[in-house]
């Protein structure tokens, strides 16, 4: 086999696309082979962080008010389900035109990223500079300087409102912004690095709809998972408990209880029992063992005998422990 043939693609791009489409439709699932989602574990973990969903929703509400005031335009901001994706998957799905804002967001160590699609920037620029009555142009080149400045403004509003919303549950320290109009910086991240993806859908009536994405390193988020679980309610303790509980424990051993010693038991018939009269004597053999009863319940067993001229019991064992 020649060196050239070794480097040839086994499948063409059209064939690969056809296979992917077939897989999405579940066409190959014949009961023997099934689709497996390798990100299912992380997605399940995300779904357990119920407080994170609340932060996500509150952030969208605050963002809607901030964008409406900042750009003087009626925008709605709705949340979409949070997802998990690797850096490689994200790179593949990035739009051609974008503004990618990277920031150190303490206490996270690695950078977080805000993806603002080019179509969002084009729409906002068109609205901001008085072109609301004109359909935004369809651009194919990189994001323009004007769009980049709007992207920076979007990022600042986004991060400001996020810090305000998250402060009670998980305070954030925002660092400096690094704004890029290419994914070059992001491409340096290892391909298998996982991210939690928070989706914010922007809409202006029927004119515009696009999605902002906040990418947070999944491992960094997982390390702080306690902050995103419901807080456990502590049962209030009586302030007097510290006083009466030790006293109760000290007093309990002195509480009087009735203890009975059972020497023996006999069996008889109901006929014989009914025939018993005052003065009758029932012979009982001297026992080898006897029981100690507390409220009718045997708590110890022992040997029957005598001590200092009195009938006595020598303990053999207790119910809970052996002597």
């Amino acid at each position: 086999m020649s060196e050239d043939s070794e480097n040839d693609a086994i499948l063409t791009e059209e064939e690969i696309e056809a296979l992917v489409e077939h897989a999405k439709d579940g066409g190959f699932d014949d009961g023997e082979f099934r689709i497996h989602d390798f990100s299912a574990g992380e997605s399940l973990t995300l779904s357990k962080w119920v407080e994170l969903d609340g932060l996500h929703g509150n952030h969208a509400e605050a963002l809607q008010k901030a964008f409406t005031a900042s750009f003087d335009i009626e925008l709605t901001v709705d949340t979409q389900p949070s997802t998990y994706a690797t850096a490689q998957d994200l790179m593949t799905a990035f739009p051609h035109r974008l503004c990618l804002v990277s920031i150190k967001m303490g206490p996270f160590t690695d950078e977080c990223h805000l993806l603002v699609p080019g179509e969002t920037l084009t729409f906002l620029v068109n609205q901001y500079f008085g072109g609301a009555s004109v359909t935004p142009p369809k651009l194919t080149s990189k994001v323009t300087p004007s769009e980049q400045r709007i992207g920076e403004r979007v990022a600042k509003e986004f991060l400001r409102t996020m810090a305000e919303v998250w402060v009670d549950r998980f305070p954030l320290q925002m660092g400096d912004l690094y704004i890029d109009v290419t994914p070059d910086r992001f491409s340096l991240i290892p391909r298998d690095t996982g991210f939690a993806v928070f989706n914010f859908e922007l809409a202006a009536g029927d004119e515009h709809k696009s999605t902002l994405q906040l990418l947070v390193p999944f491992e960094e988020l997982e390390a702080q998972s306690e902050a995103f679980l419901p807080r456990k309610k502590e049962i209030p303790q009586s302030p007097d408990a510290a006083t009466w509980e030790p006293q109760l424990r000290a007093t309990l051993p002195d509480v009087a209880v009735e203890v009975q010693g059972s020497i023996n038991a006999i069996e008889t018939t109901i006929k014989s029992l009914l025939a018993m009269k005052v003065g009758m004597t029932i012979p009982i053999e001297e026992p080898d063992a006897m029981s100690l009863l507390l409220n009718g319940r045997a708590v110890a067993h022992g040997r029957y005998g005598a001590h200092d001229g009195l009938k006595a019991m020598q303990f053999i064992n207790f119910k809970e422990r052996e002597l």
Side-chain angles (χ1 to χ4, degrees):
M1 182 180 292
S2 66
E3 184 176 347
D4 291 339
S5 63
E6 288 179 354
N7 296 327
D8 289 342
I10 297 176
L11 297 176
T12 66
E13 291 186 6
E14 291 78 8
E15 290 171 331
I16 293 175
E17 289 178 3
L19 284 173
V20 171
E21 288 301 321
H22 188 57
K24 288 180 179 177
D25 296 336
F28 66 89
D29 186 1
D30 58 359
E32 185 176 356
F33 301 98
R34 292 192 298 268
I35 298 174
H36 178 73
D37 183 2
F38 287 96
S39 66
E42 290 80 3
S43 298
L44 180 61
T45 301
L46 275 172
S47 68
K48 292 180 180 178
W49 296 338
V50 293
E51 296 298 332
L52 202 55
D53 288 338
L55 294 175
H56 191 190
N58 293 338
H59 186 193
E61 291 181 11
L63 203 56
Q64 177 173 315
K65 296 177 182 177
F67 283 170
T68 299
S70 182
F71 297 105
D72 193 23
I73 179 176
E74 288 296 330
L75 277 175
T76 60
V77 182
D78 294 317
T79 60
Q80 296 298 320
S82 304
T83 57
Y84 172 87
T86 62
Q88 181 181 4
D89 294 336
L90 291 167
M91 279 282 294
T92 303
F94 278 169
H96 175 65
R97 303 183 72 249
L98 55 77
C99 183
L100 193 60
V101 182
S102 303
I103 181 174
K104 283 286 186 67
M105 196 184 296
F108 303 135
T109 304
D110 296 333
E111 285 185 335
C112 300
H113 309 272
L114 176 64
L115 171 64
V116 186
E119 59 179 326
T120 303
L121 299 172
T122 302
F123 175 77
L124 292 177
V125 167
N126 195 53
Q127 295 288 322
Y128 190 71
F129 289 103
S133 60
V134 180
T135 303
K138 299 292 184 181
L139 303 178
T140 57
S141 60
K142 292 180 181 178
V143 164
T144 65
S146 296
E147 290 175 327
Q148 184 174 346
R149 287 194 294 271
I150 291 294
E152 181 177 358
R153 190 167 176 178
V154 167
K156 288 181 177 179
E157 291 292 343
F158 185 96
L159 298 170
R160 178 185 63 80
T161 52
M162 182 178 180
E164 292 174 356
V165 169
W166 284 47
V167 65
D168 292 335
R169 172 64 64 169
F170 191 72
L172 298 168
Q173 296 84 45
M174 300 298 182
D176 296 331
L177 304 183
Y178 182 89
I179 302 173
D180 199 357
V181 296
T182 69
D184 294 348
R185 181 183 178 90
F186 192 86
S187 65
L188 300 177
I189 299 173
R191 301 169 64 184
D192 59 348
T193 302
F195 285 91
V197 183
F198 299 93
N199 301 290
F200 298 80
E201 185 179 79
L202 275 62
D206 297 329
E207 301 177 40
H208 174 80
K209 184 174 289 186
S210 59
T211 302
L212 304 183
Q213 290 186 322
L214 174 66
L215 315 178
V216 181
F218 184 82
E219 289 187 359
E220 299 270 359
L221 202 61
E222 192 172 30
Q224 308 292 339
S225 61
E226 285 294 325
F228 310 123
L229 296 173
R231 291 191 175 113
K232 296 180 180 179
K233 294 183 179 179
E234 295 184 0
I235 300 176
Q237 188 176 11
S238 170
D240 298 329
T243 303
W244 61 259
E245 187 173 347
Q247 294 177 354
L248 180 62
R249 290 181 179 276
T251 305
L252 276 176
D254 297 328
V255 175
V257 293
E258 181 180 349
V259 180
Q260 299 175 337
S262 175
I263 297 177
N264 208 334
I266 63 170
E267 291 185 5
T268 186
T269 63
I270 294 178
K271 180 178 179 180
S272 299
L273 185 62
L274 294 174
M276 291 181 183
K277 298 178 181 179
V278 176
M280 289 185 61
T281 301
I282 300 175
I284 298 176
E285 297 180 0
E286 185 173 302
D288 294 326
M290 63 181 296
S291 300
L292 195 67
L293 307 178
L294 176 62
N295 292 331
R297 180 182 177 185
V299 294
H301 301 284
R303 296 186 183 91
Y304 177 76
H307 179 72
D308 292 339
L310 300 174
K311 293 180 175 61
M313 168 184 171
Q314 182 183 36
F315 288 111
I316 298 176
N317 61 62
F318 285 84
K319 184 177 180 181
E320 300 296 334
R321 56 193 176 94
E322 297 292 331
L323 292 179

